[in-house]
Amino acid sequence: MRFVKKRMFGVVFALFILACAFILLSILNFYRELQNKEATIQEESLLDLSQFTSNYMDVKLEGYLSTLYSLSDLILLKDVKWENIRDRLNAIVSRQEFLHLGLSSLDGRVWSTDGSTEYVIDISGRPYWQDLLAGKAVITDAQDSLVSSKQIFVVAVPIMNRENHVVGIVHGAIALSEFQDYEDSRFEMGSYLVFVVDNTGSFILRDHKHPNAWNYSTIFDELEDSGKEQVSEAIRRQLAENLTIQTEAIISGKEYMLCFCPLSMNNWYTVVLVSKDEINQHIAVL
């Protein structure tokens, strides 16, 4: 009788162990499925946020170009002389985001105003000058200003006559610092980090939650600091083909999911990131 009881106890104990093992495996499978689903959700969210930001930036840049094209049409109706348009440019600078606006002759000299002070600068050596002479509008990467210590990007359009010849240039500069201050509130995306970078990876816009541990001037420097230069180079190649990219990378010792999305207006990209720690914390709560 005692033997039977022991045997029954052994069977029950074995079944209990099997049941516990089954429950444990089920929990682990559920956790893995939850991780996979959460990763898929995050990838979709990154893509959606990146596309939204890119569309917003396209509209923003289109607004700058529209302002300058309107000016070019107005200037064409008048004599192309600095004295005739200076007051109008001063008025526009005082109520919009331009650091300064100017009128350029075909030799590359720009008569420019910031609303109070006048400048004459030479942009004929800038890499975008030949595009303007060819009748193309330009929005540049981040660069140093010729009249201040600020980092800027330039928006410029050609003035075309009725024969479709370039007779001048309307030139505007926007300071990155003022652009950052103006746009900070637009990209409040919770735990997501949202950036805009130019073709070199330099930051046009930094998220105000930007981690202090990031010490470099370009997003590619940050990626290469992880010791995986091939990740940075692969992203550069794909961005050159105007592709949307989703990837993972370690930046300053922290794992991130990233999405790069190109703008249609120029060679800029939005970059949306979320920390893997944030994802794991969310899963833990679930």
Side-chain angles (χ1 to χ4, degrees), residues 43-114:
E43 287 175 0
E44 292 173 352
S45 297
L46 285 173
L47 181 60
D48 289 344
L49 286 175
S50 191
Q51 290 176 336
F52 165 79
T53 309
S54 291
N55 291 338
Y56 172 82
M57 291 300 301
D58 278 333
V59 172
K60 182 78 176 176
L61 297 179
E62 181 64 46
Y64 292 141
L65 289 177
S66 295
T67 297
L68 297 191
Y69 273 123
S70 296
L71 272 172
S72 71
D73 290 340
L74 181 67
I75 292 169
L76 193 59
L77 296 175
K78 300 176 176 289
D79 293 332
V80 185
K81 293 180 181 178
W82 172 245
E83 293 78 9
N84 294 342
I85 64 166
R86 177 174 47 207
D87 292 342
R88 183 171 292 274
L89 294 185
N90 280 330
I92 292 173
V93 168
S94 66
R95 67 175 186 267
Q96 292 201 18
E97 298 162 49
F98 290 100
L99 178 65
H100 52 81
L101 282 168
L103 174 66
S104 173
S105 57
L106 295 182
D107 61 2
R109 285 186 300 165
V110 180
W111 287 262
S112 185
T113 176
D114 63 6

Side-chain angles (χ1 to χ4, degrees), residues 204-260:
I204 301 296
L205 278 178
R206 291 176 180 263
D207 196 299
H208 69 278
K209 303 185 298 297
H210 182 260
N212 293 329
W214 293 26
N215 300 316
Y216 298 100
S217 59
T218 83
I219 190 70
F220 297 123
D221 289 337
E222 297 289 352
L223 294 174
E224 289 175 5
D225 188 50
S226 68
K228 295 183 177 179
E229 292 188 18
Q230 66 272 22
V231 173
S232 176
E233 289 306 312
I235 290 174
R236 286 176 188 266
R237 287 195 300 271
Q238 293 177 76
L239 289 180
E241 298 176 15
N242 226 32
L243 298 175
T244 297
I245 303 162
Q246 287 187 291
T247 187
E248 297 181 7
I250 297 174
I251 302 176
S252 295
K254 197 170 185 178
E255 286 186 277
Y256 290 93
M257 294 176 64
L258 306 88
C259 182
F260 289 78

Side-chain angles (χ1 to χ4, degrees), residues 165-182:
H165 295 149
V166 178
V167 295
I169 307 293
V170 182
H171 179 279
I174 296 165
L176 292 185
S177 55
E178 279 82 356
F179 189 63
Q180 174 78 50
D181 292 342
Y182 185 83

